[in-house]
Amino acid sequence: MRKQSVKLKDGREVVLRLLLLDDKEQLLSMVTSLSADALMWSSPPYDEEKVNRWMSGTKSGLSIVAIFNSRLVGIAAVYQFPRPRQIGIAEMMIYIHQDFHGVGLGTMMTENLLVLARNKGLHRIGLEVVEENGAAVWLYKKLGFEVEGILKEAYYGADGKYHNMLVMGILLSKN
Ligand SMILES: CC(C)(COP(=O)(O)OP(=O)(O)OC[C@H]1O[C@@H](n2cnc3c(N)ncnc32)[C@H](O)[C@@H]1OP(=O)(O)O)[C@@H](O)C(=O)NCCC(=O)NCCS
């Protein structure tokens, strides 16, 4: 993926590029500054251990970050499963700092990720998302992911209640 500058709905410009080894500190600082609202339907803790796992994405060329004025404000990544019976099968995640929600960044990052995944010849990308995570569910559906199933009450929310999770997926190539 070539580094590219994109304009958000509010006029701000961010650079989209692949995740680099040097991004670790910035990534840690972004995830540790996510608000309770932004993390409402996520899977804490967001700590160095998680960021170290995400940094493994520098090797695959399937992790994209968004940079605004030298500050890392978003990450979206696809991870391929390593086993032989899961060749071409992957899962995805996306986190955007709350200062950049609702201005089209998630859409642009996911679109770019899907292009990268197609170019790598991936067959399927799947994910699980809490049913109430409206922005995420809408974003995935808009870009072609389908709801394939429901995991009943598989998520324990910050509200102290259990919530359904949707299993969503997109097939990138024909069988
Ligand atoms: C989910 C997330 C990636 C979306 O990114 P974003 O940059 O805000 O998304 P965009 O601005 O590109 O698009 C959001 C869309 O959802 C819509 N939307 C926002 N809130 C919504 C809601 N509660 N219900 C339905 N749609 C909603 C917006 O109107 C917009 O639609 P449009 O593109 O048709 O105009 C971002 O909110 C985020 O990082 N959240 C925290 C982490 C997270 O939940 N990740 C997903 C875990 S599976």
Side-chain angles (χ1 to χ4, degrees):
M1 175 192 174
R2 300 247 297 275
K3 187 170 160 176
Q4 54 177 294
S5 184
V6 296
K7 199 169 210 169
L8 303 177
K9 284 182 188 170
D10 61 1
R12 285 180 293 180
E13 284 196 15
V14 299
V15 169
L16 300 186
R17 62 156 170 79
L18 291 176
L19 176 71
L20 302 173
L21 281 174
D22 281 352
D23 291 327
K24 186 181 158 187
E25 286 314 312
Q26 283 246 35
L27 192 51
L28 188 58
S29 130
M30 185 197 86
V31 295
T32 51
S33 67
L34 288 171
S35 65
D37 268 3
L39 293 177
M40 174 82 90
W41 305 116
S42 59
S43 306
Y46 291 87
D47 52 14
E48 192 162 1
E49 198 183 318
K50 189 165 279 181
V51 167
N52 283 338
R53 283 206 302 277
W54 289 358
M55 287 308 296
S56 69
T58 51
K59 295 185 208 118
S60 65
L62 286 167
S63 292
I64 299 177
V65 289
I67 311 290
F68 176 73
N69 285 345
S70 308
R71 170 184 160 211
L72 194 156
V73 297
I75 180 166
V78 162
Y79 301 102
Q80 286 177 257
F81 292 113
R83 301 205 172 110
R85 288 290 176 267
Q86 293 172 309
I87 281 182
I89 298 179
E91 57 185 9
M92 84 159 272
M93 64 89 166
I94 180 164
Y95 289 88
I96 290 174
H97 191 273
Q98 57 274 6
D99 294 351
F100 289 79
H101 282 187
V103 286
L105 184 55
T107 302
M108 287 184 205
M109 293 186 82
T110 308
E111 280 170 347
N112 273 275
L113 207 48
L114 290 175
V115 170
L116 290 182
R118 278 201 172 90
N119 289 345
K120 291 241 182 226
L122 291 193
H123 179 58
R124 172 197 161 83
I125 301 175
L127 58 90
E128 288 175 14
V129 57
V130 182
E131 199 168 27
E132 281 85 352
N133 193 348
V137 173
W138 169 245
L139 171 67
Y140 298 138
K141 280 186 182 166
K142 188 175 67 169
L143 297 182
F145 286 79
E146 290 175 27
V147 175
E148 300 172 332
I150 297 177
L151 302 173
K152 287 187 188 169
E153 305 203 359
Y155 180 89
Y156 183 68
D159 56 3
K161 294 180 182 153
Y162 288 100
H163 298 265
N164 294 341
M165 295 198 83
L166 303 181
V167 178
M168 298 186 77
I170 183 169
L171 298 183
L172 303 176
S173 62
K174 296 272 177 250
N175 221 334

